[in-house]
Amino acid sequence: MKNIQLDDAGRLRHFLTVEGLPRELLERILDTAESFSGVIEKSVKKVPLLRGRTIINLFFEPSTRTRTTFELAAKRLSADVLNINVATSATTKGESLLDMLRNLQAMQCDMFVVRHGDSGAAHFIAQHVAPHVGVVNAGDGRHAHPTQAMLDMYTIRRHKGDFEPLRIAIVGDILHSRVARSQIHALNTLGAGEVRVVAPRTLLPRDVGSLGAHVYHDIRQGLRDVDVVITLRLQKERMQGALLPSEHEYYQLYGISQERLALARPDAIVMHPGPINRGVEIESAVADGPQSVILNQVTNGIAVRMAVMSMCLEGRGTAAEELT
Ligand code: CP
């Protein structure tokens, strides 16, 4: 089946999911991000790569890190950025999603960055936009959060180098996590030595065997000798029914404390996609401690999103140019 994310020459046109993308392309995203990281550290934090392009942030769900770093990344590339406030848009007057897109497209935009509560929403939009428009998934339901996964890969590579010798434990609410799914695909594609998921049975998907990760229910066994600990937020907004006795009990059984972190390798790094819930999935002393790279992840998100947006629009004409 044709991967709609790639053109006939194998170039990135949309970035909707990590699943099915070749290793070379993921490595190219990381290498391109590396080249942009120098731009972000300069006093004039801009390159003219996307000058004259218009990028629209379309967020149907709350976000702090993703929306802001997409906006900063687009501005660093010299693009014009519009943030649509969906809550005050004409969708509240009954306009359909597709009609909204057609109207925004008529304003000659070049890219939509989309966050939506429904799995598959970004893919649906990519199937309906004009050929000159790129779509980047900024998180769809439980399905995928590909730029988060790539900024996590970038952070791991910066701290640890090669993926091949690494053991990585992803701890917490795997069932509702689009981040965990994208991370597992990315880690396996990049050749990580061992990927573990550590969670109670109620927070694992039924098809956990097909995820491509070793499953642990005991946190102490799951953390033993790992190089990277990724802890996840309990996605209460996606939970139906009581999957846990209480947050307190969850913390007692699965919270990342200093004592538990001592089971990992002494140089292990601790990651979290954010937002963090202190005292629920992570102890403050760990979140703010010397092994935490949580805020580095946020910073790295700018360079990685610059890489993804520039690659998706590379060599692509405007609406008028595509027709000629
Ligand atoms: N990691 C992440 O997606 O955070 P936001 O919800 O703040 O964008």
Side-chain angles (χ1 to χ4, degrees):
M1 199 174 72
K2 187 171 158 54
N3 187 338
I4 70 160
Q5 302 188 93
L6 304 176
D7 68 10
D8 292 340
R11 287 180 307 188
L12 201 60
R13 301 286 79 181
H14 307 290
F15 193 45
L16 308 173
T17 174
V18 172
E19 192 175 4
L21 292 180
R23 180 173 179 159
E24 305 75 63
L25 197 136
L26 300 193
E27 286 175 343
R28 189 162 162 236
I29 293 173
L30 300 181
D31 293 343
T32 308
E34 196 70 60
S35 71
F36 285 135
S37 66
V39 174
I40 295 164
E41 286 155 15
K42 287 191 180 145
S43 54
V44 179
K45 300 177 176 60
K46 266 196 192 291
V47 287
L49 266 177
L50 297 186
R51 191 163 53 199
R53 302 287 186 148
T54 303
I55 294 174
I56 298 189
N57 275 336
L58 210 46
F59 278 59
F60 294 85
E61 265 193 354
S63 166
T64 299
R65 281 144 290 269
T66 312
R67 200 203 59 70
T68 312
T69 52
F70 263 113
E71 180 171 351
L72 276 174
K75 287 179 170 167
R76 302 283 186 256
L77 292 165
S78 307
D80 296 316
V81 190
L82 300 177
N83 291 296
I84 303 294
N85 185 346
V86 177
T88 56
S89 75
T91 51
T92 57
K93 299 179 194 164
E95 185 173 49
S96 74
L97 174 61
L98 282 183
D99 280 330
M100 178 187 191
L101 285 170
R102 286 185 192 113
N103 280 272
L104 293 172
Q105 213 168 254
M107 300 171 202
Q108 311 299 325
C109 71
D110 299 285
M111 174 174 278
F112 290 114
V113 176
V114 183
R115 168 166 292 191
H116 202 287
D118 292 342
S119 298
H123 195 275
F124 175 77
I125 290 170
Q127 285 174 311
H128 289 88
V129 292
H132 72 283
V133 175
V135 178
V136 178
N137 184 3
D140 64 326
R142 302 179 183 190
H143 171 237
H145 196 345
T147 57
Q148 177 69 46
M150 292 313 296
L151 75 87
D152 295 334
M153 299 306 111
Y154 181 83
T155 305
I156 293 171
R157 195 173 81 162
R158 273 208 145 182
H159 284 86
K160 296 286 169 196
D162 252 11
F163 286 91
E164 266 144 57
L166 299 182
R167 286 196 192 99
I168 295 120
I170 306 173
V171 184
D173 183 1
I174 311 292
L175 176 64
H176 302 98
S177 177
R178 53 196 176 206
V179 174
R181 277 176 186 72
S182 293
Q183 287 169 336
I184 294 168
H185 287 304
L187 287 165
N188 285 326
T189 304
L190 291 166
E194 186 189 350
V195 185
R196 303 177 179 178
V197 289
V198 187
R201 283 175 214 284
T202 50
L203 293 182
L204 283 167
R206 229 175 289 164
D207 65 343
V208 64
S210 64
L211 278 181
H214 295 117
V215 179
Y216 290 78
H217 301 299
D218 181 314
I219 183 92
R220 300 185 75 81
Q221 287 175 15
L223 292 183
R224 200 169 297 282
D225 295 328
V226 298
D227 303 279
V228 179
V229 180
I230 302 175
T231 180
L232 301 170
R233 183 176 66 86
L234 292 176
Q235 310 258 308
K236 283 180 284 188
E237 70 275 23
R238 292 186 220 291
M239 288 186 190
Q240 282 158 356
L243 297 175
L244 294 166
S246 70
E247 286 182 356
H248 178 70
E249 189 162 332
Y250 176 82
Y251 181 68
Q252 297 302 321
L253 291 171
Y254 288 96
I256 305 297
S257 60
Q258 283 180 303
E259 186 221 332
R260 286 188 175 140
L261 182 58
L263 296 163
R265 288 176 59 89
D267 61 349
I269 55 170
V270 177
M271 301 173 63
H272 192 309
I276 63 172
N277 289 153
R278 293 168 186 265
V280 179
E281 68 267 0
I282 190 165
E283 184 180 39
S284 271
V286 175
D288 305 327
Q291 288 168 267
S292 170
V293 296
I294 294 171
L295 294 178
N296 303 61
Q297 290 172 260
V298 178
T299 305
N300 294 339
I302 302 171
V304 168
R305 290 177 170 129
M306 286 171 81
V308 168
M309 288 193 284
S310 60
M311 285 169 66
C312 284
L313 292 180
E314 191 177 30
R316 203 194 294 240
T318 61
E321 286 159 358
E322 293 278 325
L323 289 173
T324 54

